[in-house]
Amino acid sequence: MSRIRIRDLEKTFRLDDAGSVSLFAKLHGALTGAQRRAEIRAIESVDLEVEAGEKLGVIGTNGSGKTTLMRLIAGIYTPTSGVLEVDGTIASFLQLGTGMIQRLSVRENVFLYGSVMGLTRPEIRERFDEILAFAELTDFADVEVRRLSSGMMQRLSFAVAVQVDADVLLLDEILAVGDQHFRNKCYEYFEGQRDSGTTVVFSSHTLTEIETFCTRSVWLENGRVEQVGPTADVLRAYKDRHGYPLEEQGKASLPATPSAPVEPPIDEERSEDGSGSPNGNDAADPAAARPPKTGANRLPRTTPR
């Protein structure tokens, strides 16, 4: 069964002519109808079907139309022409944090943001402790959101969003949330979604993530579908077109694998017993390792005038 059906989809944005910069020119154009407009076709002649339970990757360079397509599917944008049908409920992870109010507490924003994402108050109340635990903000329930760091806000909004039980998940570069520890939790969550019946559309510049999570992918180029098919085939064609190896893309975004510890640098001056400090004591005063303050490394002192 097709969960998403797209036929001859087009999205055009109209921009004011760059030459009509003065107020008089804009008024004259509006009154006479002579105002010229430039058009940008962000999406053009796109045909695509996504089956229920499928994990579809969306790749392409900047400006290729990936985000526009995701926003069209989410219902944020209205198509200029064509057919776009989605069978079921949608949870969009496109702009995390939209709808949060800075001067409200974490607790109040969980209920507010949860409502924006489609959760009912009883559902939010039932999952409230789980949300804070996932976001690692259990001790911050009554703190104003404006006092949180940007990473803490991202964790909070993500923790609320993953509570939505939707038929379709739309993910746009979402795995870049938070630090590496929290990113690993996100990976574990989406690993579980990969084996579920949820349909996932995942847009990313990190091709290793696309290769890991998506069985089929679509490649957009200048707003058009360049290729759609098995992920390995699409990534290979994308690599050949743009001329760089896949293994160089996005390694830093994947969970870090344990590696052998790096040996610390060996001091040139060591004691006869082989210890790291000249006197053989491992607990030597750290101040002794600091370079002396000489004229070469001392900052110049300025006298206020």
Side-chain angles (χ1 to χ4, degrees):
M1 180 184 69
S2 295
R3 186 69 74 183
I4 302 173
R5 293 173 293 278
I6 298 174
R7 289 286 180 272
D8 200 23
L9 185 66
E10 181 175 312
K11 179 59 180 177
T12 300
F13 295 98
R14 292 185 175 180
L15 306 176
D16 289 340
D17 181 22
S20 301
V21 293
S22 68
L23 177 60
F24 174 78
K26 291 183 178 181
L27 289 174
H28 180 268
L31 293 174
T32 63
Q35 186 176 13
R36 295 179 297 166
R37 290 180 179 274
E39 290 187 346
I40 297 178
R41 285 182 179 155
I43 292 291
E44 184 176 0
S45 303
V46 170
D47 294 318
L48 185 66
E49 285 200 14
V50 185
E51 299 297 320
E54 186 176 10
K55 310 305 184 268
L56 179 75
V58 182
I59 66 171
T61 57
N62 287 330
S64 62
K66 300 187 303 299
T67 298
T68 300
L69 178 62
M70 300 289 279
R71 291 180 179 180
L72 284 166
I73 298 174
I76 298 173
Y77 289 161
T78 302
T80 302
S81 63
V83 176
L84 194 160
E85 299 174 343
V86 179
D87 183 14
T89 57
I90 301 174
S92 58
F93 293 66
L94 306 182
Q95 292 178 313
L96 288 179
T98 301
M100 286 195 175
I101 298 179
Q102 297 291 308
R103 292 191 173 276
L104 295 183
S105 67
V106 168
R107 183 189 307 276
E108 293 167 326
N109 270 288
V110 167
F111 280 89
L112 176 64
Y113 192 54
S115 300
V116 171
M117 296 297 295
L119 296 171
T120 64
R121 289 189 67 84
E123 288 175 332
I124 299 172
R125 192 176 297 111
E126 179 183 352
R127 306 177 190 185
F128 181 79
D129 292 338
E130 181 182 348
I131 291 172
L132 291 193
F134 189 92
E136 302 173 4
L137 295 174
T138 302
D139 297 331
F140 296 85
D142 297 310
V143 175
E144 291 183 355
V145 165
R146 66 190 178 97
R147 299 189 181 279
L148 302 181
S149 68
S150 58
M152 296 167 77
M153 287 186 62
Q154 287 180 329
R155 298 201 315 252
L156 177 62
S157 55
F158 183 88
V160 176
V162 297
Q163 299 298 322
V164 178
D165 299 321
D167 299 309
V168 178
L169 291 181
L170 304 178
L171 316 174
D172 191 3
E173 298 287 353
I174 195 62
L175 295 184
V177 171
D179 56 20
Q180 189 62 55
H181 167 70
F182 191 76
R183 248 180 264 179
N184 290 344
K185 294 176 67 172
C186 298
Y187 279 106
E188 292 174 4
Y189 168 79
F190 288 118
E191 279 287 351
Q193 293 298 314
R194 186 172 63 172
D195 300 327
S196 70
T198 304
T199 301
V200 177
V201 182
F202 178 32
S203 170
S204 178
H205 285 290
T206 308
L207 301 189
T208 46
E209 293 177 348
I210 296 290
E211 187 175 23
T212 300
F213 294 108
C214 303
T215 55
R216 195 166 69 106
S217 294
V218 56
W219 166 19
L220 294 179
E221 192 80 17
N222 297 322
R224 290 176 171 267
V225 174
E226 185 71 18
Q227 184 174 336
V228 60
T231 294
D233 296 341
V234 174
L235 294 186
R236 188 179 303 110
Y238 184 76
K239 173 200 69 173
D240 292 342
R241 169 72 62 83
H242 294 283
Y244 48 83
L246 296 179
E247 58 268 23
E248 291 184 2
Q249 301 194 37
K251 285 186 176 180
S253 295
L254 293 177
T257 55
S259 57
V262 179
E263 291 293 335
I266 301 175
D267 294 336
E268 294 182 0
E269 180 181 0
R270 300 182 65 90
S271 61
E272 295 181 357
D273 63 355
S275 62
S277 58
N279 60 3
N281 184 6
D282 289 338
D285 184 2
R290 298 191 190 119
K293 291 186 177 181
T294 64
N297 59 16
R298 183 184 297 125
L299 293 177
R301 175 176 296 181
T302 58
T303 304
R305 295 179 179 177

